[in-house]
Amino acid sequence: MTKRTIPVAPFDLVIFGGTGDLARRKLLPALFRRDLAGQLPPDARIFGAARRDISGDEYRLLADQALLEFVPVGELSAAAVARFLARLDYRAVDFATGAGLPALADAIAVSPRDIRAFYLAVAPDQFARACTQLAQAGLVAPGSRVVVEKPFGHDRASAAALADAVGAVFDERAIYRIDHYLGKETVQNLMALRFANEIFEPLWNARHVDHVQITVAETIGVEGRGAYYEQVGATRDMVQNHLLQLLCLTAMEPPVAFEAASVHDEKLKVLRSLRPIGAADVAACTVRGQYRAHNGVPGYADEVGGGAHAETFVAVQAQILNGRWSGVPFFLRTGKRLRARMSEIALVFRPASFHVFAPNAGPAPSNVLRFRLQPDEAVQQVITIKDPGPGGMRLRQAVLDLSFSSDLGLGDGELPDAYERLVLDVVRGDQTLFMRRDEVDAAWKWVDPIIEGWAERGLMPELYDAGGRGPDGAMRLLHREGRAWRDIV
Ligand code: NAP
């Protein structure tokens, strides 16, 4: 699987925020694993940069410890680690003042590679200033590109201001807005299954699909980030980006080609086809929730210390106004402190139109095609089969595993992490799995009126038990039309 690797061209990658959580937990391990797979050319260089005043050796030690902590021990041969660490260097940089950027520019200029990537793994309020200062320090050359982590703004207006600031320095084709969900193998497999197999695409429409459920459930709470979360809430944190991106990939028309512009165009059409939800229908189409203390687990209000207004859970019934999806609800749900960590896209098909079997054969429930993103990536088809044995025709449900782990010779944890794919896409200059400015704008355009509608209607979050399934209102959202959420397991 990971064996078919084509080395990328030589590059300089600067990870701003190179000492932070994202760099340690995701970026350095991802780059190490790509190096291990033979995909990094000998002269690829990686610079860490942050305010901490440490030497190159101290940074290599930090990176070594990150690998020990976040890479499976079986992959950590001494030779591979040494080769990777030899690519690393570090410069102290402070975006508040611009200090250190000239020294970084000098270090790169000693032997500049044609491809230069800046990964902004710093707080979002640094993004705009960082871009300006990179330009002022003369670091932005032809072939330069920048990676921006979510959140892309707080609402439509702030996202536009941020896009203007980044766009003043980098051309849109050099801006990589990352949503790591799009780098997951299963999400890419969704597109492969749809567009490379004749058997799925004919079923992918309102005639055969009853509804779609997209769930991102977390067991963790706000983990000490209460003050930040209180300003954000689940809708801005998860729906505006991850859940809407998953909805787009599920619902979009086949792109002309699997390349950035065509895929972005199709995703944008989906976002523009979403029926607006505002003050008039937020109560009917959305549910806000907030976890409360249960079984010794503290509630959100305990964690933020009073005045807790943000939703830690949200469910939305979305509707796509186009021919393919007319009348098919897309139910989106995300929440913290739920009973299990689970992210999935589930297409629930209509029941068989005619039941030819005797009543004692049992029911033939709807087929479900399920793309599980975490914790274990998998594609599964729930189908109805005959219960084996001589006892007559009895029906039962079975799960057909379309992950093909054994065919592909995949062991546990062998799927590449999303960041492995995405960081190298930045180097390759492939924006297909990133977000374009107009997509981000269209997503905010749909999300903002929901949030404003709650404020206008004074809709406060409904409390749910920590470790549970979410608020009862979310259950009713589906029950009223005779449907039910899939279990969070
Ligand atoms: P973090 O652990 O707080 O790291 C922030 C990094 O920025 C540190 O290396 C910090 O080092 C550096 N930094 C802070 N102020 C700076 C300044 N003025 N100039 C230069 N460097 C500065 O944050 P994180 O969790 O890694 O998140 C980084 C970004 O990724 C954020 O935008 C976040 O929203 C996004 N993100 C993170 C994750 C994740 O899993 N962690 C997931 C999705 C998105 P010094 O203090 O030494 O300067």
Side-chain angles (χ1 to χ4, degrees):
M1 180 250 345
T2 46
K3 290 148 196 135
R4 266 195 312 152
T5 50
I6 303 168
V8 294
F11 63 87
D12 283 320
L13 168 67
V14 185
I15 306 176
F16 292 105
T19 56
D21 178 69
L22 182 68
R24 293 180 59 259
R25 218 157 41 81
K26 291 290 181 186
L27 304 179
L28 291 168
L31 286 158
F32 168 75
R33 292 185 85 187
R34 290 296 86 207
D35 196 15
L36 190 64
Q39 212 160 3
L40 304 195
D43 39 5
R45 296 188 297 182
I46 300 161
F47 291 86
R51 287 172 306 182
R52 199 187 306 178
D53 193 11
I54 53 175
S55 66
D57 280 341
E58 286 169 309
Y59 188 64
R60 283 183 279 276
L61 188 61
L62 177 148
D64 194 16
Q65 283 161 352
L67 299 184
L68 268 177
E69 200 174 340
F70 298 111
V71 176
V73 68
E75 296 178 21
L76 289 174
S77 82
V81 172
R83 184 180 63 187
F84 178 70
L85 295 181
R87 299 178 181 284
L88 301 187
D89 205 347
Y90 180 86
R91 291 293 180 277
V93 158
D94 186 350
F95 283 131
T97 59
L101 286 170
L104 175 66
D106 290 346
I108 291 178
V110 171
S111 157
R113 316 303 194 231
D114 289 345
I115 297 170
R116 188 177 298 178
F118 303 111
Y119 201 119
L120 299 184
V122 292
D125 58 6
Q126 309 269 359
F127 293 164
R129 189 164 37 188
C131 291
T132 312
Q133 286 179 342
L134 288 175
Q136 280 170 2
L139 273 155
V140 182
S144 293
R145 53 210 72 176
V146 67
V147 186
V148 192
E149 273 283 351
K150 71 153 208 185
F152 314 112
H154 184 73
D155 52 21
R156 194 174 180 204
S158 58
L162 174 61
D164 284 346
V166 177
V169 176
F170 293 95
D171 183 81
E172 180 64 27
R173 278 166 305 179
I175 303 170
Y176 290 74
R177 297 179 189 86
I178 202 163
D179 182 331
H180 69 275
Y181 275 55
L182 303 190
K184 286 184 178 288
E185 283 290 316
T186 307
V187 174
Q188 295 169 62
N189 228 342
L190 189 159
M191 291 181 274
L193 278 180
R194 274 192 70 184
F195 302 133
N197 295 284
E198 188 57 22
I199 60 171
F200 290 108
E201 188 58 17
L203 304 177
W204 216 269
N205 54 50
R207 189 158 171 226
H208 298 286
V209 177
D210 177 75
H211 70 279
V212 177
Q213 297 187 17
I214 301 179
T215 299
V216 177
E218 299 179 289
T219 51
I220 54 169
V222 289
E223 311 291 295
R225 296 191 310 143
Y228 163 78
Y229 199 81
E230 187 55 14
Q231 305 303 315
V232 180
T235 312
R236 289 190 174 96
D237 193 36
M238 301 297 287
V239 176
Q240 190 275 341
N241 37 67
H242 302 316
L243 277 91
L244 282 183
Q245 284 293 314
L246 296 180
L247 178 145
C248 284
L249 293 178
T250 308
M252 72 183 188
E253 295 300 314
V256 174
F258 190 66
E259 51 83 34
S262 306
V263 171
H264 292 164
D265 287 348
E266 296 307 333
K267 288 196 300 177
L268 182 64
K269 283 186 210 162
V270 175
L271 290 165
R272 288 185 173 161
S273 309
L274 284 169
R275 191 178 72 79
I277 300 175
D281 39 18
V282 272
C285 298
T286 71
V287 177
R288 298 179 81 196
Q290 189 184 92
Y291 60 86
R292 66 179 159 215
H294 186 65
N295 273 348
V297 180
Y300 175 70
D302 309 319
E303 289 181 318
V304 300
H309 300 297
E311 75 282 356
T312 60
F313 176 102
V314 60
V316 183
Q317 177 171 353
Q319 205 79 47
I320 297 169
L321 303 179
N322 66 19
R324 183 186 286 267
W325 296 115
S326 176
V328 178
F330 280 67
F331 295 103
L332 314 180
R333 140 181 90 155
T334 182
K336 290 191 175 293
R337 287 253 193 264
L338 294 175
R339 62 199 301 256
R341 176 170 172 255
M342 178 190 97
S343 299
E344 70 165 32
I345 302 166
L347 284 89
V348 181
F349 288 84
R350 294 186 185 282
S353 53
F354 184 70
H355 196 70
V356 300
F357 302 103
N360 65 1
S366 299
N367 297 130
V368 179
L369 181 59
R370 175 189 199 213
F371 297 86
R372 185 178 171 103
L373 314 182
Q374 51 194 25
D376 310 306
E377 295 199 47
V379 184
Q380 294 170 335
Q381 171 82 64
V382 181
I383 54 172
T384 300
I385 58 167
K386 177 187 173 295
D387 203 5
M393 176 57 78
R394 286 192 310 269
L395 303 176
R396 58 170 286 175
Q397 283 202 295
V399 176
L400 184 63
D401 185 4
L402 302 177
S403 312
F404 305 112
S405 311
S406 53
D407 281 18
L408 299 172
L410 295 175
D412 277 353
E414 258 197 78
L415 282 179
D417 184 80
Y419 280 95
E420 291 181 51
R421 164 74 195 247
L422 295 173
V423 174
L424 286 208
D425 276 356
V426 174
V427 172
R428 277 188 287 257
D430 184 349
Q431 291 182 308
T432 310
L433 299 178
F434 296 79
M435 282 180 281
R436 202 167 60 190
R437 175 178 177 159
D438 49 9
E439 287 177 63
V440 175
D441 179 66
W444 280 121
K445 189 178 175 193
W446 188 71
V447 160
D448 276 356
I450 296 177
I451 297 170
E452 287 157 12
W454 288 332
E456 205 176 315
R457 289 288 164 127
L459 281 182
M460 294 306 288
E462 178 186 335
L463 298 178
Y464 61 93
D465 289 344
R469 291 184 166 82
D472 291 343
M475 303 302 150
R476 287 195 294 274
L477 190 68
L478 272 76
H479 286 171
R480 69 184 179 201
E481 293 182 14
R483 301 181 174 102
W485 287 110
R486 292 170 48 74
D487 255 357
I488 297 176
V489 283

